[in-house]
Amino acid sequence: MTPATGILPGAMTTDTELPPARLNVAVVTLGCARNEVDSEELAGRLEADGFVLVADPEDADTVVVNTCGFVEAAKKDSVDTLLEAADLKASAGHGGRAQAVVAVGCLAERYGKDLAESLPEADAVLGFDDYPDIAAKLRSIVAGETHHPHTPSDRRRLLPISPVDRDASAISIPGHQGDVADLSDIGAGAPATGPRAVRRRLDAGPMAPLKLASGCDRRCSFCAIPSFRGSFVSRRPSDVLQEARWLATQGVKELFLVSENSTSYGKDLGDLRLLETLLPELSGIDGVERVRVSYLQPAETRPGLIEAIASTPGVVPYFDLSFQHASAPVLRRMRRFGDPESFLGLLERIRSLAPLAGVRSNVIVGFPGESEDDLQVLCDFLEAARMDVTGVFGYSDEDGTEAAGFGQDLKLDEDEIRARTEHVTALVEELNSQRAEERIGEEVEVLVESVDDAAIEGRAAHQGPEVDGTTLLTDAAGARVGDLLTATVTGTDGVDLIARVNGAPR
């Protein structure tokens, strides 16, 4: 079977050119919000080429699993999900319909042929370079053709070291492809230069991630992400704004700006302060109620950016600061910068401009060479920082990272890492609960995300999607998903809030 490509639903065909078979496809997304954007780009490409998107893998002819390759637990989840999809294929002879299971995403890009060899249950492992031709690839795989997975390499080598010299137009960067067209364009035929990539939402909620950039230029000794995501590449402001306007037409009320390092946005475009000028344009889009910035590098968080996030109307005062630790010696071994004094000074500057700002972070416990004194420095910092949410991760070696090659004299044993992680986790849970209790009596604006007979829930401005808790609303009769309600906090449950609605929605 020769796959037909570049044909949109409703386009004219010749006598020798037949429209492609309409196959059902389910896109299953694991990992971070950046992966969600990538999945929606893939979904747009597939739908534009005649695939029918379905939510349930049991209804799909082919299942595409967008994997995560960040840490060991995420890798395991990805493999387990692929195996579950393969079970659907195995049951196809007993009433099921799945014909192919395909791995994409970070795990697929990072391990390529090694993943394909170790997971024969997957019919194909596709890398980022396969994304532009994803529809043709899937059709050939369903037709029984063999796809030869790539041999992984360091994607940082694909672009110049100097950010301003980068031209990324010749390489595939997930989430950066093509223009976002109005939905009315679908079925009207492809533009003269070929099929247009159109993002298709896979979640109808009032929040949507919006990618600012991809890749990272930092060399943190514990992190492998730059090696398979590549060097830092900003999207042009015009592309970001165009996609944001399209998202607003889809009912999106909150734009969640994502990247590997949002504080670097614009440096490869010749303007490191580009985010400060972009934020008011995004928040001014008709239909957008609030804009949230994620993934800030503390060492790069400049005063102007703090002011823009803290004071721009429509931008929530929310600071997702990746501290990772507080002990200066540990941070140096991590190839990062900072200490308790500089970090607390950063938080003081933020709160001087926005006293009620939301602050979240992640820390790694048990990093090679971490002494008991280092651990105490971290705990003292966490107590002083009064953050809303802190994620705690126990250190583990990651393939290809500098830290994985540190000598055994620096490595802590697994039992010690586990004990330290449990200790810091218990401390953080207590501190985060206390911080939530400090918000009792505070007036918050809550974006309603779910409404059912049992509860009406949403997120306040200081609560980021998925990881920062939710707000349960009372006296909210008649509320609808997407409403922005003013409420007063009356109670807490861990990091979650309980709040009484004060007035009508807007």
Side-chain angles (χ1 to χ4, degrees):
M1 171 181 176
T2 302
T5 61
I7 304 172
L8 295 178
M12 297 296 293
T13 61
T14 67
D15 292 338
T16 59
E17 185 182 61
L18 297 176
R22 293 181 68 80
L23 297 171
N24 288 1
V25 58
V27 181
V28 180
T29 308
L30 301 168
C32 64
R34 300 184 296 276
N35 252 17
E36 293 177 27
V37 177
D38 298 348
S39 286
E40 293 191 350
E41 178 191 288
L42 291 174
R45 289 181 179 279
L46 290 167
E47 188 176 64
D49 206 81
F51 280 79
V52 178
L53 299 173
V54 296
D56 191 340
E58 292 190 2
D59 298 329
D61 298 301
T62 180
V63 181
V64 176
V65 180
N66 191 353
T67 61
C68 179
F70 179 42
V71 293
E72 203 60 39
K75 297 176 196 174
K76 183 179 183 304
D77 286 345
S78 295
V79 171
D80 288 346
T81 303
L82 286 163
L83 292 174
E84 290 173 8
D87 287 342
L88 292 176
K89 179 187 173 186
S91 67
H94 305 281
R97 62 182 295 163
Q99 300 175 50
V101 175
V102 177
V104 299
C106 291
L107 192 70
E109 177 62 37
R110 185 175 181 185
Y111 293 105
K113 64 181 182 63
D114 291 338
L115 178 62
E117 291 170 2
S118 63
L119 197 70
E121 292 85 353
D123 294 280
V125 174
L126 304 183
F128 295 154
D129 291 336
D130 293 310
Y131 283 22
D133 299 318
I134 185 68
K137 298 285 186 185
L138 289 196
R139 292 188 188 282
S140 67
I141 293 163
V142 170
E145 297 179 22
T146 300
H147 173 79
H148 297 285
H150 70 288
T151 299
S153 61
D154 191 334
R155 290 185 70 86
R156 291 172 293 193
R157 297 175 182 173
L158 298 177
L159 293 171
I161 293 176
S162 172
V164 294
D165 292 336
R166 290 175 188 157
D167 176 5
S169 60
I171 66 174
S172 176
I173 303 178
H176 289 230
Q177 307 303 314
D179 295 328
V180 175
D182 184 85
L183 288 179
S184 62
D185 289 346
I186 298 300
T193 53
R196 175 177 292 170
V198 182
R199 177 174 174 176
R200 278 296 174 265
R201 295 206 67 202
L202 299 175
D203 182 344
M207 181 282 301
L210 175 60
K211 190 171 283 193
L212 283 175
S214 289
C216 185
D217 289 341
R218 302 191 71 86
R219 295 295 183 266
C220 301
S221 63
F222 56 83
C223 183
I225 290 175
S227 66
F228 56 86
R229 276 290 185 177
S231 298
F232 185 88
V233 178
S234 302
R235 297 182 69 195
R236 295 194 175 277
S238 57
D239 293 338
V240 176
L241 286 165
Q242 184 181 24
E243 187 167 340
R245 294 187 187 104
W246 177 78
L247 287 169
T249 70
Q250 304 304 297
V252 171
K253 303 294 185 180
E254 177 178 317
L255 300 174
F256 185 39
L257 307 185
V258 299
S259 71
E260 275 77 19
N261 179 6
S262 297
T263 40
S264 282
Y265 180 71
K267 71 175 186 179
D268 51 323
L269 301 178
D271 185 357
L272 188 55
R273 292 173 175 79
L274 201 53
L275 185 54
E276 287 96 306
T277 60
L278 181 62
L279 287 175
E281 294 188 72
L282 289 168
S283 64
I285 293 173
D286 188 32
V288 172
E289 297 287 353
R290 62 191 193 189
V291 177
R292 183 183 305 275
V293 184
S294 67
Y295 303 107
L296 302 175
Q297 167 59 240
E300 297 180 25
T301 305
R302 52 201 174 271
L305 181 57
I306 295 173
E307 183 175 355
I309 294 174
S311 60
T312 301
V315 177
V316 294
Y318 174 82
F319 294 84
D320 177 10
L321 296 161
S322 178
F323 289 123
Q324 301 300 351
H325 211 281
S327 166
V330 173
L331 287 165
R332 296 301 181 272
R333 282 192 294 277
M334 288 180 169
R335 302 293 184 194
R336 297 175 71 86
F337 303 93
D339 52 45
E341 291 73 24
S342 63
F343 290 165
L344 291 174
L346 174 59
L347 293 174
E348 184 178 357
R349 289 196 295 275
I350 290 170
R351 287 167 175 153
S352 69
L353 293 171
L356 302 179
V359 180
R360 83 168 324 273
S361 190
N362 296 307
V363 296
I364 297 173
V365 179
F367 190 78
E370 181 191 69
S371 66
E372 291 186 2
D373 287 344
D374 293 326
L375 183 65
Q376 189 60 51
V377 168
L378 173 60
C379 291
D380 291 344
F381 165 72
L382 292 172
E383 290 184 12
R386 294 173 49 249
M387 291 185 285
D388 291 278
V389 174
T390 304
V392 181
F393 297 87
Y395 172 79
S396 62
D397 286 340
E398 280 295 310
D399 298 337
T401 62
E402 180 184 356
F406 286 171
Q408 289 302 313
D409 57 319
L410 290 176
K411 300 286 181 70
L412 280 66
D413 64 50
E414 291 185 5
D415 290 341
E416 179 63 21
I417 293 174
R418 186 179 305 109
R420 293 187 181 193
T421 303
E422 291 173 354
H423 172 71
V424 176
T425 298
L427 173 64
V428 159
E429 288 177 350
E430 180 181 355
L431 293 172
N432 292 167
S433 294
Q434 291 174 3
R435 180 71 186 112
E437 289 171 1
E438 291 175 3
R439 292 191 182 274
I440 292 177
E442 181 180 318
E443 187 172 88
V444 293
E445 279 198 328
V446 180
L447 179 66
V448 177
E449 294 190 305
S450 67
V451 176
D452 59 38
D453 294 337
I456 297 174
E457 289 188 333
R459 288 179 296 105
H462 71 278
Q463 295 173 319
E466 304 293 339
V467 292
D468 292 347
T470 60
T471 298
L472 176 66
L473 293 170
T474 62
D475 295 337
R480 298 173 300 177
V481 171
D483 284 346
L484 196 65
L485 301 174
T486 301
T488 300
V489 179
T490 59
T492 65
D493 182 8
V495 297
D496 297 329
L497 303 182
I498 302 167
R500 183 186 65 252
V501 173
N502 298 336
R506 67 175 178 86

